[in-house]
């Protein structure tokens, strides 16, 4: 039970996930978590990544409650590192990804207020590290706009979509797939 085995299993799980081998990916991530109990501290950032990745598998398999549990456990570890004396960009990024994943679960569960709140928190973290036209930021803005529509805040959602469209047009051109998709949502 060496830490390298945990990392190897996590990487194997990522490959399986990418190949849409969800059951196998889940097994790899769960194996990594089981070994982790023996070799890593309970607040190790690698554990947070594994839990987030397992949550993604659960989400893809339609297990929203289990996915949310994984994302919450991941976020609890990440928050400890964010609140520490050293704040690394990779930790900020990983935490914002976890929050984005949680926001998507709440959106799919029709808990749009929570989805909106979590997406806003993810966006705050992302904008401390990335430019406002970064793809990660634009994706979170889009998710936030969707939640605002479902919360009856259409005007605010349109403002967000307009902002997204300006960034996409400047970055990719007005006829790009991204800009056309955003126009369609508007």
């Amino acid at each position: 039970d060496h830490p390298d085995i945990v990392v190897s299993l996590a990487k194997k799980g990522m490959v399986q996930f990418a190949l849409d081998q969800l059951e196998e990916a889940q097994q790899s991530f769960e194996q990594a978590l089981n070994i982790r109990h023996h070799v890593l501290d309970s607040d190790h950032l690698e554990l947070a990544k594994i839990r987030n990745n397992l949550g993604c598998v659960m989400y893809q398999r339609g297990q929203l409650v289990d996915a949310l549990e994984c994302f919450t456990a991941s976020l609890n570890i990440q928050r400890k590192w964010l609140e520490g004396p050293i704040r690394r960009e990779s930790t900020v990024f990983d935490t914002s990804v976890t929050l984005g994943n949680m926001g998507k679960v709440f959106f799919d569960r029709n808990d749009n207020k929570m989805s909106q709140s979590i997406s806003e928190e993810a966006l705050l973290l992302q904008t401390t590290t990335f430019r406002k036209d970064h793809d990660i930021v634009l994706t979170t803005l889009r998710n936030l706009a969707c939640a605002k529509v479902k919360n009856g805040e259409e005007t605010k959602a349109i403002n967000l979509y307009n902002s997204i469209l300006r960034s996409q047009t400047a970055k990719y051109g007005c006829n790009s797939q991204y800009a056309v998709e955003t126009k369609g949502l508007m």
Side-chain angles (χ1 to χ4, degrees), residues 27-46:
Q27 290 171 357
S28 293
F29 291 134
E30 287 174 344
Q31 253 186 307
L33 288 175
N34 287 335
I35 293 171
R36 183 276 319 156
H37 288 291
H38 304 292
V39 296
L40 296 175
D41 294 332
S42 62
D43 64 349
H44 196 281
L45 282 173
E46 189 63 34

Side-chain angles (χ1 to χ4, degrees), residues 124-141:
L124 282 172
L125 282 175
Q126 290 166 354
T127 55
T128 65
T129 305
F130 302 109
R131 293 171 24 139
K132 68 179 183 174
D133 66 345
H134 193 281
D135 290 338
I136 297 287
V137 174
L138 295 176
T139 298
T140 302
L141 281 170

Side-chain angles (χ1 to χ4, degrees), residues 105-148:
V105 171
F106 282 115
F107 185 82
D108 288 354
R109 294 179 69 193
N110 291 316
D111 189 343
N112 301 310
K113 294 281 186 198
M114 185 63 90
S115 176
Q116 182 175 328
S117 175
I118 288 175
S119 294
E120 287 170 347
E121 185 178 354
L123 190 60
L124 282 172
L125 282 175
Q126 290 166 354
T127 55
T128 65
T129 305
F130 302 109
R131 293 171 24 139
K132 68 179 183 174
D133 66 345
H134 193 281
D135 290 338
I136 297 287
V137 174
L138 295 176
T139 298
T140 302
L141 281 170
R142 181 176 178 220
N143 293 342
L144 181 57
C146 289
K148 286 187 180 288

Side-chain angles (χ1 to χ4, degrees), residues 3-181:
D4 288 345
I5 294 172
V6 174
V7 173
S8 295
L9 284 167
K11 288 181 180 182
K12 178 181 175 186
M14 290 298 297
V15 169
Q16 291 165 323
F17 181 77
L19 294 172
D20 204 31
Q21 298 171 352
L22 300 180
E23 187 174 334
E24 293 86 351
Q26 182 174 340
Q27 290 171 357
S28 293
F29 291 134
E30 287 174 344
Q31 253 186 307
L33 288 175
N34 287 335
I35 293 171
R36 183 276 319 156
H37 288 291
H38 304 292
V39 296
L40 296 175
D41 294 332
S42 62
D43 64 349
H44 196 281
L45 282 173
E46 189 63 34
L47 172 61
K49 288 180 186 180
I50 295 168
R51 288 202 182 278
N52 180 69
N53 293 339
L54 179 58
C56 291
V57 171
M58 301 283 198
Y59 176 83
Q60 289 295 346
R61 296 186 79 189
Q63 301 168 349
L64 299 183
V65 172
D66 293 331
L68 193 55
E69 286 178 14
C70 289
F71 295 142
T72 301
S74 177
L75 184 62
N76 288 337
I77 294 167
Q78 291 163 331
R79 284 196 194 283
K80 290 177 187 176
W81 287 87
L82 280 179
E83 295 164 0
I86 299 173
R87 199 171 186 193
R88 294 194 171 123
E89 285 185 4
S90 61
T91 305
V92 172
F93 172 76
D94 289 345
T95 305
S96 73
V97 168
T98 300
L99 285 165
N101 291 339
M102 290 177 78
K104 185 77 171 123
V105 171
F106 282 115
F107 185 82
D108 288 354
R109 294 179 69 193
N110 291 316
D111 189 343
N112 301 310
K113 294 281 186 198
M114 185 63 90
S115 176
Q116 182 175 328
S117 175
I118 288 175
S119 294
E120 287 170 347
E121 185 178 354
L123 190 60
L124 282 172
L125 282 175
Q126 290 166 354
T127 55
T128 65
T129 305
F130 302 109
R131 293 171 24 139
K132 68 179 183 174
D133 66 345
H134 193 281
D135 290 338
I136 297 287
V137 174
L138 295 176
T139 298
T140 302
L141 281 170
R142 181 176 178 220
N143 293 342
L144 181 57
C146 289
K148 286 187 180 288
V149 167
K150 285 205 170 189
N151 284 329
E153 299 178 39
E154 289 86 4
T155 302
K156 290 179 180 179
I158 291 294
N159 289 338
L160 286 174
Y161 283 129
N162 278 323
S163 175
I164 295 165
L165 183 59
R166 279 191 302 275
S167 293
Q168 290 170 331
T169 300
K171 192 171 183 179
Y172 303 111
C174 64
N175 293 321
S176 71
Q177 169 191 343
Y178 305 107
V180 170
E181 186 177 311

